[in-house]
């Protein structure tokens, strides 16, 4: 395979280069930031790229955002994210096109070199390879987001003001609504969030907790 490596740790980057070369693969570029990754992929059109998520300058999500940009620009561009972290927001976006050729492995959970190389080959062949921990965290994040998916924009506004601790009358004043309208929105929110009337639970507090979790 022809491989591009994007990893800001010089030691790990050199180690990956040596490992792949020893196994008969060709590392066509080894870079340390997202911009250099994009340039290298455009120039070399590798079979697959190994990409760390957190790289300069901010060390947050540069690698992941560069991967999304490359996939949009070059359909079929195979990417294996290899990181210590699970970044759910952009990872979901990366996987959303369902085109395959994407992998996400956690560095600390790869027990065998052979497992890593097998995952790399599968991604290059167009498969999707995900660490079980990545799947678990993506699923949890998706469930939290879906909890509010059924709310209308106005209901989200009302719930947001509830989260600020405002009463129905204060919400009505802020949104220029009648008190009756706010009560209907609040009741609708409770229904859509599956929060039935209960003597032991404060539905308003539970609704706000759902909002904060999302």
């Amino acid at each position: 395979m022809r491989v591009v490596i994007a990893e800001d740790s010089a030691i790990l980057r050199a180690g990956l280069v040596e490992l792949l070369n020893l196994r008969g693969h060709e590392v066509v570029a080894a870079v340390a930031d997202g911009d250099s990754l994009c340039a290298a992929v455009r120039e070399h059109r590798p079979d697959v790229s190994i990409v760390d998520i957190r790289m300069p300058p901010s060390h947050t999500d540069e690698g992941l955002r560069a991967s999304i940009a490359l996939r949009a620009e070059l359909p079929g561009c195979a990417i294996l994210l290899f990181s210590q972290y699970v970044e759910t927001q952009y990872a979901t976006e990366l996987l959303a096109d369902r085109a395959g050729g994407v992998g996400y492995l956690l560095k600390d959970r790869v027990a065998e070199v052979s497992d890593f190389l097998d995952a790399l080959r599968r991604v290059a062949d167009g498969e999707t390879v995900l660490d079980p921990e990545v799947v678990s965290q993506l699923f949890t994040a998706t469930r939290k987001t879906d909890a509010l998916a059924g709310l209308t924009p106005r209901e989200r506004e009302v719930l947001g003001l509830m989260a600020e601790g405002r009463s129905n009358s204060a919400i009505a004043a802020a949104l220029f609504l009648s008190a009756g309208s706010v009560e209907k929105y609040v009741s609708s929110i409770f229904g859509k969030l599956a929060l039935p009337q209960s003597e032991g639970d404060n539905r308003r507090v539970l609704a706000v907790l759902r909002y904060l979790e999302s």
Side-chain angles (χ1 to χ4, degrees):
M1 292 180 292
R2 299 175 68 255
V3 184
V4 165
I5 297 171
E7 166 62 61
D8 68 313
S9 168
I11 293 176
L12 182 54
R13 186 169 65 249
L16 287 170
V17 171
E18 183 174 0
L19 169 65
L20 292 170
N21 285 337
L22 285 173
R23 297 303 178 101
H25 305 298
E26 180 186 1
V27 177
V28 295
V31 301
D33 61 79
D35 290 341
S36 298
L37 165 65
C38 291
V41 170
R42 292 186 187 110
E43 178 182 355
H44 297 287
R45 302 298 174 99
D47 297 307
V48 62
S49 298
I50 302 170
V51 182
D52 190 14
I53 288 177
R54 299 187 177 186
M55 293 191 292
S58 71
H59 295 278
T60 53
D61 54 18
E62 283 82 1
L64 186 45
R65 288 189 286 110
S67 297
I68 292 171
L70 283 170
R71 295 272 291 183
E73 178 184 339
L74 304 171
C77 172
I79 301 285
L80 173 61
L81 299 173
F82 192 44
S83 178
Q84 292 176 292
Y85 310 97
V86 179
E87 168 46 71
T88 57
Q89 179 181 353
Y90 289 111
T92 302
E93 184 176 345
L94 184 66
L95 296 166
D97 61 14
R98 301 179 182 275
V102 177
Y104 197 152
L105 299 181
L106 298 178
K107 293 175 180 177
D108 295 340
R109 288 171 55 86
V110 176
E112 300 289 341
V113 169
S114 59
D115 293 338
F116 173 76
L117 294 174
D118 178 64
L120 189 63
R121 168 61 70 184
R122 290 168 59 195
V123 171
D125 287 343
E127 296 185 40
T128 298
V129 180
L130 301 176
D131 184 285
E133 179 61 25
V134 173
V135 174
S136 176
Q137 293 199 35
L138 289 175
F139 179 69
T140 299
T142 301
R143 286 196 305 172
K144 288 178 179 179
T145 301
D146 285 346
L148 303 184
L151 301 186
T152 66
R154 178 63 85 182
E155 288 167 348
R156 286 174 179 265
E157 284 185 299
V158 170
L159 184 53
L161 292 171
M162 286 169 60
E164 294 177 10
R166 302 200 193 191
S167 65
N168 282 5
S169 59
I171 293 172
L175 298 180
F176 303 101
L177 297 171
S178 68
S181 294
V182 172
E183 289 179 4
K184 289 180 180 178
Y185 282 124
V186 171
S187 295
S188 178
I189 290 168
F190 292 156
K192 290 181 178 180
L193 296 184
L195 297 174
Q197 183 70 48
S198 168
E199 292 183 2
D201 295 320
N202 185 320
R203 291 192 294 174
R204 201 176 186 90
V205 172
L206 292 176
V208 167
L209 287 175
R210 296 275 184 90
Y211 174 82
L212 296 176
E213 286 176 351
S214 70

